[in-house]
Amino acid sequence: MQKWRLSRLIGTGFISACSGLEITNIGVFTYIGSVYGFNLFWSILLSATILAFFQQLAYIVGSELNGLEAIKNRRKLYALFTGGLFLANIATMTANIVGFSVIVSDLLGVSYVYVAILLGIAAYSIVAGAKGIDEIERVLSILTLFLATYIYLAITYIMHYPEVLLELLRGTFYVDPTMLTRAGLDIIAVFGAAAAPYALVMEMLSNSKDKVNYTEEFASIGMGLFFTSLAGLSIGFLSAITLHSKGIVATNPRDLVAVLGTLGPLAKPLFVLGVFASSLLAIITIMIVNAYVVYEYRRRRDWPRGLDPVIHSPISREVNLQALLASLIGVGVLLYFIGTDVNWFVESIKLLSVIISLTGWTPLLLIVYFYRYTSLRDNVVEIIAYALLTIVIGVNIIGFILDII
């Protein structure tokens, strides 16, 4: 009988799943909780389940087709994939730097410019200074555990007020039909935030170190799904019991931080610690993915079986420095055009979400396309994959059109 250890479950699948819980998700879940209470929690759970499904397909494709090597000879297709993914990743990095900087600047009274620069330098230093991918994954594993701060705060409140548990479960597992029309755009926002294309690509690359073990990796993905769903629901829960109960509509995550003091003296610092871990985890994962796809694009005759050659290459440092500078420039552009009023974060997230929505579905399309060439191909799974892909693309397009109208 195989022994299951925690170190096996907290692997790349777990890290990839958790890396998708970044500042755009936190902002959306905070808003959802403040406006609708517990009524849309089912959409958070469903979107996380869809992401986990595609992560498992990504691991299968990466295992049998050696990461992204399957499209190395399709230069135009790979250029489209690289360009779309890179734009989505830059937008996501910018959002995370902006969101965390605003929260910390409000909490500590320091300039968000300094916080933004320090966060970017910290992420770049971890990737550039690592001896290998194993060292980076240890850092990422530690960061994922800090996401438990969201869950801890929620559980602490439920222990004091257990009567709220029934309402929480109802909102998580019951779909109120009236909400489908009343909150259509906000439901779209939740599903759009679940795309996390960099997390899927990271999963495709995760097989390159050791022999393929589908059972362990799927268990790791499932563990990550469970943990991420709990963390996401906890963020919405904290917003519902504080902001929604007071009739306050959140314009950004710092609105939630401002009222967390009512839950105890440690609530604010613990939540901010969770936001820091979420943002840094996402940025580091994005840097690894960016370095790999560009490395393969430039060195198509020398494809690495593993991430260590990528991490140690000058291409990695060059690409990550460019991505960091582009993100910091993006922060400056947003501040210049949108301003520094209290609602500027919401406007910037909407702008970034449009970019992510238009570009973030490309990895899903490639994963589903190349799944047909694997030995584990199953017709039922393939039909489900195309159906979910259609839903994701349709939701993004409809959401974009309705937002313009």
Side-chain angles (χ1 to χ4, degrees), residues 82-385:
T82 304
L85 179 65
F86 202 81
L87 285 176
N89 285 349
I90 294 299
T92 306
M93 282 181 63
T94 302
N96 278 274
I97 294 174
V98 167
F100 178 72
S101 301
V102 169
I103 291 175
V104 172
S105 65
D106 281 357
L107 185 66
L108 302 180
V110 297
S111 173
Y112 43 76
V113 175
Y114 298 133
V115 179
I117 294 174
L118 288 176
L119 178 63
I121 292 176
Y124 178 82
S125 300
I126 290 173
V127 177
K131 296 179 180 179
I133 188 61
D134 289 335
E135 185 173 310
I136 296 178
E137 284 197 351
R138 283 194 289 271
V139 174
L140 296 179
S141 298
I142 294 173
L143 290 175
T144 60
L145 297 181
F146 280 111
L147 304 187
T149 54
Y150 307 130
I151 303 172
Y152 169 78
L153 292 173
I155 291 177
T156 301
Y157 184 89
I158 293 174
M159 290 177 63
H160 286 89
Y161 304 97
E163 63 273 11
V164 78
L165 183 59
L166 183 60
E167 188 177 356
L168 171 62
L169 292 174
R170 180 181 180 277
T172 305
F173 296 102
Y174 171 71
V175 180
D176 185 351
T178 62
M179 287 292 167
L180 297 178
T181 54
R182 175 187 167 195
L185 282 177
D186 295 327
I187 295 173
I188 288 172
V190 174
F191 278 85
Y198 60 88
L200 291 168
V201 176
M202 184 68 177
E203 189 61 46
M204 291 181 69
L205 309 179
S206 65
N207 64 83
S208 57
K209 297 174 299 168
D210 306 303
K211 62 180 181 180
V212 175
N213 190 322
Y214 290 113
T215 303
E216 281 190 8
E217 190 65 17
F218 289 172
S220 181
I221 294 172
M223 185 73 172
L225 160 66
F226 178 75
F227 186 74
T228 305
S229 298
L230 281 182
L233 290 171
S234 296
I235 294 169
F237 175 83
L238 294 171
S239 180
I241 62 174
T242 54
L243 298 174
H244 182 69
S245 63
K246 299 178 183 297
I248 302 174
V249 177
T251 57
N252 58 65
R254 66 181 179 183
D255 291 335
L256 177 56
V257 175
V259 298
L260 281 177
T262 59
L263 302 182
L266 294 179
K268 279 187 179 182
L270 284 177
F271 187 84
V272 172
L273 178 62
V275 174
F276 169 73
S278 298
S279 300
L280 190 58
L281 175 62
I283 293 172
I284 292 175
T285 304
I286 286 172
M287 285 184 170
I288 295 173
V289 170
N290 282 347
Y292 192 94
V293 296
V294 175
Y295 184 97
E296 289 200 343
Y297 184 76
R298 293 185 181 180
R299 298 171 61 88
R300 59 185 184 275
R301 294 183 178 179
D302 182 22
W303 297 80
R305 182 66 178 178
L307 290 173
D308 284 338
V310 179
I311 299 299
H312 296 148
S313 70
I315 293 177
S316 174
R317 291 187 288 273
E318 174 191 343
V319 169
N320 288 330
L321 185 59
Q322 291 174 352
L324 176 59
L325 292 176
S327 297
L328 292 177
I329 292 173
V331 173
V333 170
L334 288 173
L335 287 173
Y336 178 80
F337 284 103
I338 298 176
T340 56
D341 62 88
V342 293
N343 294 320
W344 77 274
F345 181 79
V346 173
E347 296 302 320
S348 66
I349 289 298
K350 286 177 63 177
L351 176 62
L352 293 171
S353 295
V354 170
I355 299 174
I356 295 172
S357 295
L358 292 175
T359 58
W361 55 267
T362 51
L364 300 182
L365 179 61
L366 289 174
I367 289 169
V368 176
Y369 175 78
F370 285 109
Y371 173 72
R372 68 173 64 182
Y373 298 108
T374 65
S375 62
L376 296 180
R377 178 189 179 188
D378 182 88
N379 290 332
V380 176
V381 173
E382 192 171 2
I383 292 173
I384 294 173

